[in-house]
Amino acid sequence: LGEPAMETRMASKLLQKDSIGKKCSEFIEDGECIFIDSGSTTYHIARHITNKKNLTIITNSIPVVNELINSDFEIIIIGGKVRQSERSVVTYDYLFNFSELNIQKSFICASGITIENGITDFNMQEAVTRKTIIERSREVFIAADSSKFGRDVTINIAPLDKVNYIITDSYLDKNLVNNFKKIKTNLILSEV
């Protein structure tokens, strides 16, 4: 099972993804520096933050840049190679100096989430960027719809002890919700 195309993901589970994006936006305070990952779920965060003030947005998502291009926010797009299929930029340390970043909150996508192996993804280059951003962030939020739970895909991004919050939709299986009560990562369900 490979990674579905971005066009397919942008059009699927829209109600869930929009509710997750809205819930994520509630955690963003005026004046913060945040990272919004490239992904069909995190894209919806950009649509719900236009009422915020003085944000610095760091992103590798071309759709996020397009959504916020007319805002007053400071937008920093990480430099690197464009992945046309994902509409994202994958970076390399020699092209972008991550050590200068001071990110309050990062909103990261995932293709798979399990309690045992944490957050996983399909693409190595995206994984490198996500791992680096997680290291540079004070708080880490995973934004993923409920279909990603119980899936373990190719590349490990982070164990759950590196994640502060997972925001997903209210369709998540109740047994999984109960399993998450046993770990320190906060699971937050958005109402669809």
Side-chain angles (χ1 to χ4, degrees), residues 20-95:
I20 293 165
K22 187 171 195 284
K23 182 57 81 174
C24 288
S25 75
E26 294 170 15
F27 288 86
I28 298 168
E29 306 289 332
D30 291 349
E32 288 187 319
C33 174
I34 65 169
F35 174 79
I36 300 177
D37 200 0
S38 64
S40 58
T41 303
T42 45
Y43 163 75
H44 288 271
I45 298 169
R47 300 179 59 230
H48 289 284
I49 59 173
T50 52
N51 61 333
K52 308 282 182 187
K53 304 273 182 273
N54 301 322
L55 292 181
T56 299
I57 312 289
I58 300 168
T59 190
N60 59 338
S61 167
I62 294 165
V64 167
V65 170
N66 287 339
E67 186 69 32
L68 298 175
I69 197 78
N70 294 318
S71 72
D72 292 334
F73 303 147
E74 184 164 327
I75 302 171
I76 299 168
I77 189 162
I78 62 175
K81 181 181 90 155
V82 172
R83 250 186 104 201
Q84 283 94 330
S85 63
E86 269 309 283
R87 296 193 184 112
S88 68
V89 179
V90 291
T91 192
Y92 308 95
D93 283 340
Y94 59 85
L95 289 177

Side-chain angles (χ1 to χ4, degrees), residues 99-191:
S99 65
E100 301 299 317
L101 298 179
N102 182 18
I103 302 167
Q104 271 92 24
K105 294 169 183 160
S106 59
F107 295 87
I108 306 285
C109 282
S111 297
I113 301 171
T114 63
I115 288 178
E116 303 73 35
N117 290 324
I119 310 306
T120 55
D121 194 46
F122 286 104
N123 183 274
M124 177 59 82
Q125 293 167 321
E126 299 271 4
V128 168
T129 300
R130 288 176 180 141
K131 287 179 183 196
T132 305
I133 292 292
I134 287 169
E135 291 301 318
R136 304 288 323 153
S137 300
R138 242 178 261 156
E139 285 188 296
V140 175
F141 295 75
I142 301 300
D145 72 75
S146 55
S147 71
K148 306 297 172 39
F149 285 76
R151 288 174 60 188
D152 214 357
V153 300
T154 325
I155 299 150
N156 192 280
I157 304 292
L160 291 184
D161 64 7
K162 294 250 189 222
V163 174
N164 302 94
Y165 300 92
I166 298 175
I167 299 180
T168 191
D169 59 74
S170 54
Y171 296 152
L172 186 62
D173 181 88
K174 298 299 171 253
N175 291 329
L176 282 169
V177 173
N178 288 331
N179 290 343
F180 271 85
K181 290 178 179 165
K182 301 169 190 157
I183 63 170
K184 72 173 193 160
T185 304
N186 295 295
L187 183 68
I188 296 167
L189 303 181
S190 64
E191 287 305 316

